């Protein structure tokens, strides 16, 4: 699709930058290398060569002089350079946070590598482990990223909606509840300050630092800590699901409702998430369904504070929370107000009495970029016992990933044990120190490659600012909808960082976005051999297909996105050998509108082939006649009817 746009624009006289490059670091390459008993570098460079030759055979109008591979030090050194600038500004920082951890494999797992709570590789349960990790402070730009969602008219509405929801801005209040013991308080974030009088208990995330403190020395301590340990094995995103079983335990402590003094038992509960708001939830069972289910399960008090106009609620017989609007009851001086007005009035009251304040919460979290994996760009810092974290001096960049290192058993990164890599002198004090062995998330590389394409050879910096000023932003970006959130949001963030560094002068990298459909094909499975590649399927007798290996009749399954795991893929080279590039390209363009999924069909390809042949034969058959014909550019009115019809048909065809 991109090639069509590029050729069209070129024919219309535009200068078109139409590049190709390789987003080459990361887990897929590493895992494929492990599976194929080879090295990620070898695997990657071999794949690049194969794919380059395939793309060349397809005749795309790429500017191959601009080819970039993100796993080359010439590329990632600039990413390391920007990391150091971000570190200076506090936009790159280190904090302890929870990761999926597999003990047998001694490695961190991405969410996608955790299957039903178990390690995808060894099948043993995964636990949440606290590790020091590097982050990019994308939340610094949350407000701006959200605001500019309104200024992307060239993007599909569904992608903008997904970005908005991901950033997830909620307005509400932070309210503080003093502990009954008098030693401290619990802060909560709520979007419903109108319901404070109905808050009957408190829930803290199991990871909340107050939890061990509150139960210490109490009879509940053992049970609470066992619960915390058990919940640490639950998937954090599952815990947020409405359908997930809600559970909790009483810590033994109480806090006080700041508006009516009610004693509220403090629980720790799995549905309270440390990563949102303050990690504490004031629970209002009458008006929040999660809190309601929790209260019924543990026999906790339900107090109605918002009364619906038509039918009064009875806390004893309610079967679900009431989340609609109504008039305030059981709320002291605020009784009788519509709850929407009480919201404002109560926050005013809290602010006046220094019990809380208006605030905004974002769902967006800072971007964890640490990977305890080998095949990625090294994070350019050094750890020194005396000086702490010391940035690698700019003059020592790039920190080159040692490409000769072999992966260890279970895919573990060799870096922490590779003395030649790890051992360095501290740039600050000169004593022996250790190099950071985490590598960067590959989404960092894909957050600025479009700028690199503008001056791919630039050795003076990430890019030549004049080239970027000339070419960027990208006029037409094309990609799969699977990038609707992560890649597109990270790129928007990174562009803002570059703008604040004074390196470029815009914040939105992509003016128009097309999310193209996926190429899909039916799956074929043999009862004996599982999914089959098309080349392993034989046309059986009486039209039915069979397995080429065992001859059994095969099962034709659903039409799904092409993927190697399902084997419903077509090797471009077989098509190119049989039909050539024109047919292959024509089929891809005509099979479906660009945004729609495309169902691969042999008949469709064949149809394109026959069409092109007809055009060819027509032209060839009439070649002599056409050669000797004089061009006609007179007025059509004077033509005889037959020629007039021919002229009309010619233009229609064009
Ligand atoms: C009391 C309340 C009463 C709430 C009510 C809702 C309804 P959104 O809209 O997604 O921003 N909450 C706050 N922090 C939380 C955490 N760390 N983990 C789990 N839940 C948390 O959600 C805001 C609401 O989510 C907040 O408002 C809080 O519950 C809960 F009738 O406070 B609410
Ligand atoms: Zn494992």
């Amino acid at each position: 699709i991109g090639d069509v746009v590029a050729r069209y624009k070129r024919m219309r006289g535009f200068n078109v930058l139409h590049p190709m490059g390789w987003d080459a670091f990361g887990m897929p390459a590493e895992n494929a290398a492990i599976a194929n008993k080879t090295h990620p570098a070898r695997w990657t460079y071999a794949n690049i060569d194969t794919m380059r030759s395939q793309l060349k055979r397809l005749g795309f109008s790429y500017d191959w002089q601009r080819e970039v591979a993100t796993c080359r030090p010439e590329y990632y050194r600039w990413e390391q350079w920007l990391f150091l600038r971000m570190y200076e500004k506090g936009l790159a920082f280190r904090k302890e946070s929870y990761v999926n951890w597999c003990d047998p494999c001694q490695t961190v797992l991405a969410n996608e590598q955790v299957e039903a709570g178990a390690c995808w590789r060894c099948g043993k349960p995964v636990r949440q482990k606290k590790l020091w990790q590097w982050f990019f402070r994308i939340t610094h730009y949350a407000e701006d990223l959200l605001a500019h969602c309104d200024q992307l008219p060239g993007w599909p509405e569904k992608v903008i909606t997904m970005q908005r929801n991901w950033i997830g801005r909620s307005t509400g209040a932070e309210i503080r509840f003093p502990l009954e013991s008098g030693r401290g308080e619990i802060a909560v974030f709520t979007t419903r300050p109108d319901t404070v009088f109905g808050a009957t208990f408190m829930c803290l995330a199991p990871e909340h630092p107050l939890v061990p403190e509150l139960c210490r020395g109490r009879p509940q301590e053992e049970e609470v800590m066992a619960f915390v340990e058990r919940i640490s094995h639950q998937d954090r995103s599952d815990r947020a699901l409405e359908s997930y079983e809600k559970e909790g335990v009483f810590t033994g402590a109480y806090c006080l409702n700041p508006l009516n003094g009610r004693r509220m038992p403090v629980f720790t509960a799995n549905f309270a998430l440390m990563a949102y708001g303050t990690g504490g939830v004031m629970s209002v069972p009458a008006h929040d369904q999660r809190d309601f289910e929790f209260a019924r399960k543990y026999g906790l008090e339900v107090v109605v504070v918002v009364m619906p106009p038509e039918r009064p609620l009875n806390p004893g017989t309610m079967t679900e929370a009431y989340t609609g609007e109504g008039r305030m009851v059981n709320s002291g001086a605020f009784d009788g107000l519509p709850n929407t007005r009480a919201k404002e009035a109560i926050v005013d009251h809290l602010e006046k009495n220094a019990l809380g304040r208006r605030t905004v919460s974002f769902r967006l979290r800072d971007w964890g970029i640490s990977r305890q994996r080998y095949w990625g760009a090294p994070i350019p810092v050094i750890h020194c016992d005396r000086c702490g974290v010391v940035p690698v001096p700019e003059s020592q960049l790039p920190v080159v990933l040692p490409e000769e290192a072999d992966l260890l058993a279970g895919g573990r990164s060799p870096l922490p044990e590779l003395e030649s890599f790890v051992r360095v002198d501290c740039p600050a004090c000169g004593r022996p120190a250790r190099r950071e062995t985490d590598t960067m998330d590959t989404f960092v590389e894909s957050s600025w490659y479009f700028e690199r394409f503008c001056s791919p050879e630039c050795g003076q910096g990430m890019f030549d600012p004049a080239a970027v000023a000339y070419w960027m932003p990208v006029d037409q970006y094309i990609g799969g909808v699977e990038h609707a959130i992560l890649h597109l949001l990270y790129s928007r963030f990174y562009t803002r960082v570059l703008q604040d560094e004074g390196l470029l002068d815009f914040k939105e990298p992509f003016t128009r976005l097309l999310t193209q459909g996926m190429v899909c094909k039916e799956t074929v499975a043999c009862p004996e051999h599982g999914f089959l590649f098309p080349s392993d399927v034989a046309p059986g007798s009486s039209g039915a297909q069979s397995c080429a290996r065992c001859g059994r009749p095969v099962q034709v399954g659903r039409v799904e996105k092409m993927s190697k795991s399902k084997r419903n893929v077509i090797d471009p080279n077989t098509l190119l050998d049989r039909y050539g590039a024109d047919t292959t390209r024509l089929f891809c363009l005509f099979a479906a509108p660009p945004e729609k999924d495309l169902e691969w069909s042999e008949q469709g390809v064949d149809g394109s082939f026959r069409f092109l042949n007809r055009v060819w034969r027509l032209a060839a058959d009439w070649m002599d006649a056409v050669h000797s014909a004089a061009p006609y550019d007179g007025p059509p009115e004077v033509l005889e009817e037959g020629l007039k019809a021919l002229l009309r048909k010619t233009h229609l065809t064009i």
Side-chain angles (χ1 to χ4, degrees):
I1 295 166
D3 196 53
V4 172
V5 178
R7 284 173 191 271
Y8 174 73
K9 288 289 178 183
R10 232 177 254 130
M11 286 166 139
R12 305 273 318 236
F14 288 91
N15 271 347
V16 178
L17 197 164
H18 187 219
M20 174 47 77
W22 316 99
D23 185 16
F25 267 144
M27 215 102 76
E30 202 172 308
N31 291 339
I34 295 166
N36 290 283
K37 300 201 168 35
T38 170
H39 188 278
R42 246 184 325 273
W43 173 262
T44 299
Y45 293 127
N47 268 306
I48 287 177
D49 289 341
T50 308
M51 290 187 66
R52 187 193 303 103
S53 75
Q54 285 180 348
L55 291 173
K56 285 191 172 171
R57 284 190 77 189
L58 278 159
F60 294 131
S61 62
Y62 291 131
D63 180 350
W64 288 104
Q65 285 174 25
R66 294 180 186 269
E67 182 182 344
V68 160
T70 60
C71 57
R72 301 264 187 209
E74 308 86 85
Y75 183 85
Y76 64 73
R77 71 170 293 175
W78 298 112
E79 199 166 296
Q80 293 175 335
W81 174 86
L82 190 72
F83 178 95
L84 296 175
R85 308 303 294 257
M86 293 172 73
Y87 179 69
E88 241 168 66
K89 287 185 162 177
L91 285 174
F93 65 100
R94 214 169 158 247
K95 76 171 180 201
E96 242 187 329
S97 74
Y98 286 92
V99 293
N100 302 311
W101 182 262
C102 173
D103 283 311
C105 301
Q106 282 291 297
T107 185
V108 169
L109 302 172
N111 285 341
E112 302 77 46
Q113 297 175 311
V114 181
E115 293 164 356
C119 170
W120 67 290
R121 170 176 301 284
C122 72
K124 295 279 159 24
V126 168
R127 69 186 173 96
Q128 301 294 309
K129 183 179 171 175
K130 235 180 177 179
L131 270 192
W132 282 94
Q133 304 250 87
W134 287 96
F135 289 84
F136 282 166
R137 207 179 294 283
I138 189 171
T139 54
H140 176 73
Y141 293 97
E143 198 77 66
D144 195 57
L145 287 164
L146 184 70
H148 279 258
C149 283
D150 294 338
Q151 293 168 49
L152 294 168
W155 284 37
E157 197 51 47
K158 65 168 185 225
V159 174
I160 297 200
T161 303
M162 285 165 83
Q163 295 238 333
R164 278 204 191 98
N165 291 342
W166 189 261
I167 298 168
R169 185 180 194 273
S170 292
T171 51
E174 192 173 303
I175 306 177
R176 293 192 303 278
F177 290 64
L179 290 169
E180 188 188 42
S181 65
R183 290 192 300 267
E185 56 188 18
I186 296 173
V188 305
F189 170 72
T190 179
T191 48
R192 295 289 308 272
D194 51 321
T195 65
V196 181
F197 284 87
T200 56
F201 59 98
M202 178 69 73
C203 287
L204 298 178
E207 303 88 354
H208 198 293
L210 269 180
V211 170
E213 218 173 285
L214 291 179
C215 66
R216 190 165 303 137
R218 295 183 196 269
Q220 289 87 354
E221 180 168 4
E222 201 175 314
E223 191 194 352
V224 171
M225 295 319 289
F227 176 79
V228 169
E229 159 67 17
R230 185 162 62 79
I231 301 302
S232 78
H233 295 284
Q234 289 182 353
D235 187 285
R236 269 166 298 157
S237 44
D238 285 354
R239 274 167 52 189
L241 296 177
E242 241 157 76
S243 56
Y244 208 68
E245 171 75 12
K246 285 146 207 76
E247 45 177 345
V249 286
F250 177 43
T251 61
Y254 289 83
C255 67
L256 302 173
N257 189 313
L259 292 189
N260 58 14
R262 180 189 285 115
R263 268 182 106 210
M264 297 165 55
V266 181
F267 280 74
T268 174
N270 62 344
F271 66 80
L273 304 175
M274 197 54 220
Y276 192 63
T278 63
V281 186
M282 69 172 207
S283 292
V284 184
H287 304 292
D288 181 280
Q289 186 57 25
R290 281 183 322 189
D291 298 347
F292 182 83
E293 289 167 28
F294 196 87
R296 285 290 191 249
K297 182 165 176 180
Y298 296 104
L300 299 160
E301 204 181 349
V302 177
V303 174
V304 173
V305 289
V306 178
M307 203 52 97
E310 64 289 358
R311 51 181 174 104
L313 296 171
N314 176 346
T317 56
M318 281 168 78
T319 54
E320 56 178 9
Y322 174 69
T323 56
E325 300 191 344
R327 293 214 175 249
M328 303 300 297
V329 293
N330 295 323
S331 296
F334 303 95
D335 280 359
L337 283 180
N339 74 301
T340 43
R341 284 196 32 221
K343 229 180 208 175
E344 297 304 316
I346 289 180
V347 181
D348 286 341
H349 176 80
L350 290 166
E351 286 191 336
K352 217 172 287 152
N353 294 284
L355 297 167
R357 60 187 176 93
R358 286 190 165 74
T359 167
V360 172
S361 260
F362 288 95
R363 222 182 73 95
L364 183 67
R365 302 267 63 87
D366 281 324
W367 174 12
I369 59 146
S370 271
R371 296 291 177 273
Q372 289 72 27
R373 305 285 298 210
Y374 163 70
W375 191 235
I379 293 177
V381 301
I382 288 164
H383 300 277
C384 169
D385 286 342
R386 288 181 87 218
C387 312
V389 173
V390 183
V392 171
E394 236 178 87
S395 60
Q396 291 175 23
L397 295 183
V399 177
V400 176
L401 181 75
E403 286 197 0
E404 72 285 0
D406 275 320
L407 294 172
L408 305 178
R412 261 187 319 132
S413 168
L415 298 180
E417 288 159 48
L418 196 66
E419 293 294 313
S420 58
F421 178 78
V422 168
R423 274 179 199 252
V424 279
D425 293 337
C426 170
C429 73
R431 278 163 216 269
R434 283 180 65 80
R435 214 181 262 296
E436 171 68 67
T437 55
D438 282 357
T439 53
M440 285 193 243
D441 183 3
T442 53
F443 277 108
V444 182
E445 282 93 62
S446 55
S447 293
W448 67 285
Y449 73 96
F450 29 88
E451 269 108 24
R452 186 71 185 171
F453 276 141
C454 300
S455 52
E457 309 276 329
C458 183
Q460 264 44 262
M462 299 178 83
F463 46 78
D464 168 8
V468 163
Y470 177 75
W471 290 111
M472 285 290 288
V474 177
D475 294 303
Q476 180 67 63
Y477 202 52
I478 304 179
V481 74
E482 70 273 18
H483 290 306
I485 296 168
L486 298 180
H487 165 58
L488 291 170
L489 195 62
Y490 293 151
S491 299
R492 296 180 64 211
F493 157 69
Y494 215 74
T495 306
R496 282 161 169 75
V497 174
L498 292 170
Q499 187 190 36
D500 287 350
E501 272 297 321
L503 295 172
L504 44 72
D505 197 22
F506 53 89
K507 13 177 117 179
E508 293 298 342
F510 313 124
T511 307
R512 267 187 308 265
L513 171 68
L514 172 79
T515 48
Q516 100 263 5
M518 294 179 301
V519 185
C520 303
K521 192 182 185 314
E522 64 196 16
T523 58
V524 178
C526 162
E528 174 78 17
H529 295 101
F531 287 119
L532 299 178
F533 285 117
S535 53
D536 292 333
V537 182
S541 53
S542 72
Q545 297 177 319
S546 61
C547 174
R549 283 154 77 189
C550 66
R552 286 195 178 78
V554 294
Q555 187 102 53
V556 177
R558 277 193 302 132
V559 175
E560 292 182 64
K561 178 187 173 175
M562 282 192 180
S563 77
K564 275 191 223 136
S565 61
K566 299 254 165 75
R567 305 204 160 176
N568 55 342
V569 290
I570 299 284
D571 179 354
N573 279 333
T574 34
L575 283 173
L576 292 170
D577 290 343
R578 193 176 319 157
Y579 298 104
D582 290 332
T583 296
T584 310
R585 296 160 51 109
L586 193 72
F587 171 70
C588 290
L589 292 169
F590 279 78
E595 322 77 39
K596 292 271 155 54
D597 286 353
L598 174 167
E599 185 183 340
W600 193 268
S601 88
E602 195 68 35
Q603 296 93 303
V605 180
D606 216 55
S608 296
F609 184 63
R610 275 183 281 123
F611 172 77
L612 285 177
N613 277 306
R614 262 172 63 199
V615 173
W616 175 267
R617 280 196 306 271
L618 187 68
D621 289 352
W622 292 92
M623 191 91 79
D624 293 339
V626 172
H627 268 311
S628 56
Y632 179 77
D633 56 4
E637 300 85 67
V638 304
L639 286 176
E640 64 169 83
E641 271 316 305
L643 286 175
K644 205 188 272 183
L646 176 62
L647 187 66
R648 180 168 289 130
K649 193 78 186 169
T650 307
H651 282 283
L652 274 172
T653 307
I654 291 168

